[in-house]
Amino acid sequence: MSKRKRLLFTLSLFAVMMVLSACGTEPITSESTGFWDRYVVLNFSNMIVWLSNLFFSNYGLGIIAFTIIIRVILLPLNHFQTKSTKKMSAVQPKVKALQEKYASKDRETQERLQKEVSKLYADNDVNPYMGCLPVLVQMPVLMALYQAISRTEILKSGSFLWMNLGERDPFFILPVVAAILTYATSKLTMMSQAEANSATKSMTYTMPIMILMMGINFPSALSLYWVASNAFSVGQTMLLNNPYKAIREREEAEAQAKAREKALKTAQNPKKKKKN
């Protein structure tokens, strides 16, 4: 995907988030109207409250339990995205080689480059857009969870550990933990890729800062959600896309390639036997 398309995609996701965020800020109740509020956010809210009652009205544990349930449901999509990312990462060196080969910016050369890259993707069963599909599917779900927490009055009156869920974390512990876990997830994901692009590297550092700033200013109920979600993401990354395993596999593949290359050179240039 070109830098321009990546930028457009990022802006589109941001626009979706802004639209969903603007869907409503009033407290969510059984009297709420509209499809988004009444059938999506309200059901999320009711499920969180129901789970909280299972833990003797501990709304903090209810938020954690519901967050984990949602992440488990979305696990197949994340697995699909991981597989797509691996395929993309595997062909990136070849894509880079093509970009260097067709470096000229004239229209004919760029069209040739696009054809060669498309052929490379087709030969390797890679669809650069399919990796974006899980993100698009998850966005409304995660935003609904966000709004269910922020717009449910009863959650704001509860307490968890040292915090009032409706107020900011007085010691900023959860925002810091959420930022650290966000960084850990991004860093582990980047480590698993053979070549991380500039956008990925940038998000590795900007996302934790954004989470930290929002956590400092938002109710601790949302910080708790981010901590639970990002902690799950770290475990998910280690399970589905273990970077240390990926690095080891790359090193083994490189060693095998070098061994084959050395064997080929030896076969092409055998040493002359010394005469007795």
Side-chain angles (χ1 to χ4, degrees):
M1 189 181 295
S2 66
K3 291 183 179 180
R4 181 183 177 185
K5 289 181 179 178
R6 283 199 301 266
L7 177 59
L8 289 174
F9 176 71
T10 302
L11 292 176
S12 298
L13 287 182
F14 181 75
V16 170
M17 290 181 65
M18 294 302 294
V19 169
L20 290 178
S21 297
C23 284
T25 57
E26 295 294 324
I28 198 74
T29 68
S30 58
E31 302 299 323
S32 298
T33 59
F35 178 82
W36 176 254
D37 283 358
R38 185 170 185 80
Y39 296 104
V40 181
V41 180
L42 179 60
N43 284 325
F44 274 43
S45 174
N46 289 339
M47 181 60 72
I48 294 174
V49 174
W50 181 78
L51 288 169
S52 299
N53 291 333
L54 294 181
F55 296 103
F56 305 100
S57 297
N58 189 317
Y59 297 107
L61 292 179
I63 291 172
I64 294 174
F66 187 71
T67 301
I68 293 174
I69 290 172
I70 290 296
R71 296 307 300 261
V72 169
I73 292 173
L74 294 175
L75 203 55
L77 280 175
N78 289 315
H79 181 55
F80 175 83
Q81 183 180 25
T82 298
K83 290 174 63 178
S84 178
T85 301
K86 282 184 177 180
K87 288 183 179 180
M88 281 292 296
S89 180
V91 300
Q92 279 309 300
K94 295 180 180 179
V95 173
K96 189 174 181 180
L98 288 173
Q99 290 172 340
E100 292 175 354
K101 180 179 179 180
Y102 301 101
S104 178
K105 299 299 181 182
D106 63 274
R107 181 176 179 179
E108 183 178 349
T109 303
Q110 289 302 303
E111 288 179 351
R112 180 64 178 171
L113 172 61
Q114 290 298 323
K115 290 181 179 179
E116 291 291 335
V117 171
S118 297
K119 183 177 183 301
L120 176 64
Y121 286 157
D123 292 343
N124 290 273
D125 191 28
V126 173
N127 188 327
Y129 300 101
M130 290 305 291
C132 304
L133 180 61
V135 179
L136 293 175
V137 173
Q138 292 179 61
M139 189 66 66
V141 176
L142 297 180
M143 186 56 63
L145 176 57
Y146 172 93
Q147 288 201 8
I149 294 173
S150 63
R151 298 171 61 192
T152 302
E153 288 295 316
I154 195 170
L155 296 180
K156 298 179 181 180
S157 63
S159 60
F160 183 68
L161 299 178
W162 64 89
M163 303 164 294
N164 183 320
L165 293 174
E167 299 177 0
R168 296 183 298 174
D169 182 346
F171 305 113
F172 307 123
I173 294 175
L174 284 187
V176 171
V177 173
I180 292 173
L181 290 173
T182 301
Y183 172 79
T185 301
S186 300
K187 184 66 175 179
L188 290 171
T189 301
M190 188 171 66
M191 287 171 58
S192 66
Q193 300 175 1
E195 290 188 18
N197 56 51
S198 56
T200 301
K201 293 179 180 178
S202 176
M203 292 299 288
T204 299
Y205 298 100
T206 56
M207 281 302 296
I209 295 174
M210 291 174 60
I211 291 294
L212 176 62
M213 297 307 297
M214 288 188 291
I216 289 174
N217 292 284
F218 286 5
S220 58
L222 297 176
S223 295
L224 180 61
Y225 152 67
W226 282 322
V227 168
S229 181
N230 290 326
F232 187 93
S233 294
V234 170
Q236 171 187 298
T237 301
M238 295 300 294
L239 176 65
L240 300 181
N241 195 24
N242 190 309
Y244 301 102
K245 180 182 178 181
I247 291 172
R248 184 171 62 253
E249 290 175 348
R250 285 200 302 267
E251 291 176 346
E252 291 175 353
E254 290 174 0
Q256 291 174 1
K258 289 180 180 179
R260 287 194 297 268
E261 184 178 352
K262 183 178 180 180
L264 181 60
K265 289 182 178 179
T266 302
Q268 292 175 344
N269 302 289
K271 293 182 179 179
K272 295 181 180 180
K273 295 182 178 180
K274 295 182 178 180
K275 296 181 178 180
N276 293 331

